[in-house]
Amino acid sequence: EEPPPIERFRKDVPPHLVTTVLRCLEKNPAGRFQSFDEVLGALKSPRGAPHPPERAPSRRGIPGTARQRVLAACILVAVLGGSTLLVTSEGIRHSLGFTSVPDVRHLAVLPFTSIGGDTANQPLCDGLVETITSTLTQLEQYHGSLWVVPSSEVRSYGTVSPGEAYKSFRANLVVTGNLQLLDNAFRLTLNLIDAQNVRQISSTVLDITEDGVAGLQDKSMTRLLEMLNLELGPQTRDIVAAGGTAIPRANEEYLIGLGYLQRYDVTSNLDAAIDAFRKSIALDPRYALAYAGMGEASWRKYQASKEKSLVHTAVENCEKAYRLRSDLPRVVIALGLVHAGTGENDKAIEDFRKALELDPGNDAAYRGLARAYEVKGNLAEAEATYKRAIQLKPDYWAGHNDLGVFYYRKTRYEDAASEFQEVVRLTPDNFQAYSNAGGIFYMMNRFPEAQRMFESSLAIKKTYQACSNLATLYYVQGLYEKAARMFEESLALNDGDSQVWGNLGAAYYWAPGEREKAVAVFQIAIKGSEQDLTVNPKDAETMAKLAGYYAMVGESRKAETMANRALGISPENAIVLYLAGTTYEQLGNREKALYWLGRALERGYSLSEIEQQPELKQLLADKRYASLKLKSHKQP
């Protein structure tokens, strides 16, 4: 390949020197200088044009001027010919504007840009950055001097320059790149930069035809390892080449899907990711990574939309990926994600442990393992594992979000608030972060702050979750009509969440003149909850909510049976205990209602949440409740 021009490394090199050096580097010998006389002439000429070579001197002697030229040529050979000295001498390299690769490599791969401003190619750039970063992270275990900043951290900080990477992460090395779509090829430019001094160390250009797109990651990784002076050993080669496809277009669609999947909190990105993965699979039906991507994207979309058909799609694709390649961390993690979500917690723990054996530094595997431990009731292991994930990637919003949700479920509201506020700081455009933060403030009886958070979430994007949360806030303040309208708005955006239907039923029940509509809405909530339990038959919280819906429509036996099932699965879950208490109060069993609410209070459940519920007004007036409150509750 052609050598890069000097101007790329140093801007102030005289033009005639640039042309002279490039002619010295001509691949065709006939195009190079034929003698040092020509080289000297080019150096003396301001235009870099060589003088014609002179005749060879007479054998009888060398004239003085010619002798001087020979001496000058010998000196020039000592400088130009001493290429080994130029490469290895730090002093000379520094004087010429070059910087060597440090022994300890703290590396950040910054977002690649699409040349020409073509936004259609940006997901391909993002997918390429993700797979390069992920592969480099797997190589940390074989290169003790290498530490890679997760691509998620780079995105969360909005880091786009080497200087920012050094300030934010203390990365001493940065990889930048750009991708250009030509008529029948891709041109990928990679640059390795000394982040502290903002000096370019090396650069490379890869021109890859459509037939060679399948090797885009492999070739870029090989070139990057060379630029980093890292040995490409057998184990390294296996990781770089793992899971690829020989079909160029399938690889391209996979990278596009992977790029969209990096911000799965944006619903339109999930649709685009699913479409790209589907195309990739159609082109290569044995492409395991594409199946894993399809499975994960389908599951993420199910979590956002509650569309039940997506569960089957997620499970089917993840299992297919695992049958094809059970040795790929991304495949194993995707399967673990689905196993955990469908109640197969023992399988999920096995999956995530295997992923960590394959890739000991994988934060996604740590977070998945932590959630599986939590559901199994091993809370100490769960918290330690959540924290370990954050230690690996302290500035990735998803790790803090998961730990915040864990603290919320364990009624550690102050800790949860701290984590969700950190999510807001890391991703200030993340509507989910504001909605979650508002939910915690609600549980802490900090209603004005909760409302601000919910409204901030809706200002970024109007989602059914934020509408539902704001409606719940109206409900506990006795604004039942206003709550009903907001729940209706939530369901207009997404009518697949049974809990929102149940909340709307409660709002209708208490809103003046609307009680007759409540039973039909509770029946919708019942049907949806029953369907949810077909996805995860061990979901105790869904069971506890369903018990309450049965109670509201007068199906007392079903309500009590479902409440007992929930309590049998999660007897220490404060949310389940609270819901059991409200169910028994609706059934007219005050003794059991007080008992389970007392158990919830002992575990730190929100006092304001209990005391703002209209269905508990008579219980709150019972002297026995006051005794329970004094005995067991700790103010948040």
Side-chain angles (χ1 to χ4, degrees):
E1 53 189 60
E2 294 298 326
I6 293 175
E7 306 101 297
R8 186 176 295 173
F9 303 99
R10 183 165 176 168
K11 303 295 185 185
D12 58 350
V13 180
H16 77 282
L17 180 56
V18 173
T19 58
T20 300
V21 171
L22 288 177
R23 184 167 177 184
C24 287
L25 294 172
E26 279 286 341
K27 290 187 175 301
N28 185 350
R32 294 198 288 267
F33 293 108
Q34 302 302 301
S35 72
F36 268 102
D37 283 333
E38 292 185 20
V39 176
L40 286 169
L43 292 173
K44 293 175 180 177
S45 169
R47 294 186 303 275
H51 291 295
E54 298 184 5
R55 287 181 172 271
S58 167
R59 291 176 181 236
R60 291 177 295 186
I62 300 177
T65 54
R67 189 181 298 113
Q68 291 171 1
R69 281 196 296 271
V70 172
L71 179 60
C74 292
I75 294 172
L76 192 60
V77 169
V79 177
L80 295 184
S83 59
T84 302
L85 178 66
L86 181 64
V87 172
T88 60
S89 172
E90 182 63 29
I92 295 177
R93 287 179 60 83
H94 186 75
S95 68
L96 292 175
F98 291 87
T99 307
S100 62
V101 177
D103 293 333
V104 177
R105 303 163 180 85
H106 287 185
L107 179 69
V109 183
L110 299 189
F112 291 177
T113 57
S114 176
I115 295 296
D118 187 355
T119 56
N121 286 330
Q122 193 57 48
L124 180 59
C125 292
D126 296 340
L128 187 58
V129 168
E130 175 62 26
T131 193
I132 286 174
T133 305
S134 177
T135 303
L136 284 168
T137 301
Q138 291 183 64
L139 298 181
E140 290 176 353
Q141 57 189 304
Y142 303 113
H143 300 283
S145 64
L146 177 65
W147 185 89
V148 184
V149 179
S151 57
S152 54
E153 291 184 31
V154 174
R155 287 194 305 273
S156 68
Y157 271 86
T159 306
V160 295
S161 72
E164 291 172 349
Y166 178 75
K167 291 177 182 177
S168 299
F169 315 116
R170 281 300 183 263
N172 57 0
L173 292 174
V174 160
V175 174
T176 65
N178 58 68
L179 187 67
Q180 183 177 9
L181 178 61
L182 305 175
D183 290 337
N184 62 348
F186 288 102
R187 171 167 291 170
L188 176 65
T189 302
L190 297 171
N191 308 300
L192 183 64
I193 298 172
D194 172 353
Q196 184 174 4
N197 299 306
V198 195
R199 291 179 181 269
Q200 184 159 288
I201 296 173
S202 57
S203 179
T204 190
V205 178
L206 295 171
D207 283 330
I208 301 175
T209 65
E210 290 183 355
D211 291 339
V213 171
L216 187 60
Q217 307 105 295
D218 297 352
K219 292 177 181 178
S220 59
M221 278 302 308
T222 301
R223 197 61 58 82
L224 275 175
L225 290 174
E226 292 172 355
M227 294 163 70
L228 290 165
N229 292 338
L230 293 175
E231 181 182 356
L232 194 63
Q235 292 172 313
T236 305
R237 290 181 189 277
D238 290 343
I239 290 176
V240 170
T245 174
I247 300 175
R249 187 64 184 170
N251 182 74
E252 183 181 342
E253 292 293 346
Y254 169 72
L255 289 176
I256 290 171
L258 191 61
Y260 280 120
L261 191 55
Q262 299 320 297
R263 281 302 299 267
Y264 58 77
D265 53 315
V266 180
T267 304
S268 60
N269 282 1
L270 289 174
D271 292 330
I274 289 170
D275 183 60
F277 290 133
R278 184 181 291 116
K279 291 176 182 176
S280 181
I281 290 167
L283 291 164
D284 184 355
R286 297 192 60 79
Y287 194 3
L289 289 173
Y291 284 105
M294 180 68 147
E296 181 181 348
S298 299
W299 181 255
R300 298 290 188 192
K301 186 175 180 183
Y302 162 71
Q303 290 180 308
S305 68
K306 301 301 180 182
E307 184 181 337
K308 307 300 188 299
S309 63
L310 290 166
V311 176
H312 175 72
T313 303
V315 172
E316 184 179 44
N317 280 277
C318 287
E319 289 181 344
K320 175 69 171 178
Y322 191 83
R323 287 195 297 270
L324 289 169
R325 291 297 299 270
S326 62
D327 60 331
L328 300 178
R330 188 177 290 276
V331 167
V332 182
I333 289 171
L335 183 61
L337 182 72
V338 173
H339 276 155
T342 54
E344 300 283 354
N345 293 299
D346 289 332
K347 290 183 179 179
I349 289 172
E350 183 180 340
D351 294 333
F352 293 128
R353 283 175 173 169
K354 180 173 182 177
L356 289 169
E357 290 175 3
L358 295 169
D359 182 7
N362 195 299
D363 76 305
Y366 274 107
R367 288 187 281 111
L369 181 60
R371 177 57 180 151
Y373 279 140
E374 179 188 351
V375 174
K376 287 284 289 183
N378 194 340
L379 302 184
E381 283 288 342
E383 183 175 4
T385 307
Y386 278 125
K387 289 182 175 180
R388 175 60 178 151
I390 291 175
Q391 287 171 359
L392 287 170
K393 295 178 172 58
D395 301 304
Y396 184 28
W397 70 271
H400 292 281
N401 189 74
D402 290 350
L403 182 58
V405 172
F406 170 79
Y407 286 143
Y408 158 72
R409 287 192 291 259
K410 304 310 157 207
T411 68
R412 293 170 57 178
Y413 302 127
E414 290 286 355
D415 292 333
S418 177
E419 293 300 325
F420 288 135
Q421 286 173 309
E422 180 68 1
V423 177
V424 170
R425 186 186 70 81
L426 292 171
T427 53
D429 63 339
N430 189 335
F431 62 87
Q432 181 182 344
Y434 290 98
S435 185
N436 287 347
I440 288 299
F441 290 141
Y442 161 82
M443 298 297 284
M444 299 169 71
N445 200 25
R446 293 160 60 177
F447 290 167
E449 291 169 273
Q451 183 162 341
R452 284 198 297 272
M453 289 291 106
F454 295 146
E455 289 173 348
S456 295
S457 178
L458 290 169
I460 296 170
K461 182 179 180 180
K462 190 175 183 179
T463 65
Y464 90 93
Q465 297 99 326
C467 285
S468 178
N469 286 343
L470 185 57
T472 300
L473 184 61
Y474 293 150
Y475 178 86
V476 298
Q477 295 178 77
L479 305 173
Y480 303 122
E481 291 180 85
K482 195 171 183 180
R485 304 291 84 78
M486 187 58 69
F487 281 129
E488 289 169 349
E489 281 195 50
S490 175
L491 290 167
L493 294 168
N494 177 13
D495 63 359
D497 193 322
S498 57
Q499 181 177 348
V500 181
W501 282 106
N503 290 342
L504 176 60
Y508 282 158
Y509 186 87
W510 294 104
E514 299 192 61
R515 182 165 292 188
E516 72 279 359
K517 296 187 289 186
V519 172
V521 172
F522 279 125
Q523 292 290 359
I524 297 173
I526 288 170
K527 183 178 180 180
S529 298
E530 290 173 340
Q531 290 178 344
D532 289 339
L533 289 175
T534 64
V535 175
N536 184 356
K538 299 178 183 178
D539 188 342
E541 290 182 17
T542 295
M543 291 177 190
K545 293 169 189 172
L546 179 56
Y549 306 150
Y550 282 142
M552 292 300 292
V553 298
E555 296 195 44
S556 303
R557 184 172 297 179
K558 285 186 177 181
E560 190 165 0
T561 298
M562 193 58 64
N564 288 335
R565 282 180 58 190
L567 290 165
I569 291 174
S570 294
E572 302 299 322
N573 185 322
I575 296 172
V576 171
L577 296 171
Y578 158 72
L579 291 170
T582 59
T583 296
Y584 277 110
E585 176 66 10
Q586 183 65 27
L587 294 174
N589 191 331
R590 177 68 54 79
E591 291 291 337
K592 285 192 175 181
L594 286 167
Y595 175 77
W596 293 119
L597 287 173
R599 291 278 303 276
L601 288 168
E602 288 172 2
R603 281 150 188 79
Y605 195 77
S606 171
L607 182 63
S608 68
E609 169 78 346
I610 292 173
E611 297 191 343
Q612 299 288 345
Q613 301 302 320
E615 62 266 30
L616 296 179
K617 284 184 178 179
Q618 292 183 9
L619 180 145
L620 297 175
D622 192 311
K623 293 179 180 179
R624 290 172 294 177
Y625 171 74
S627 177
L628 285 175
K629 176 179 172 181
L630 290 172
K631 176 182 177 182
S632 60
H633 189 70
K634 298 177 295 183
Q635 287 285 354

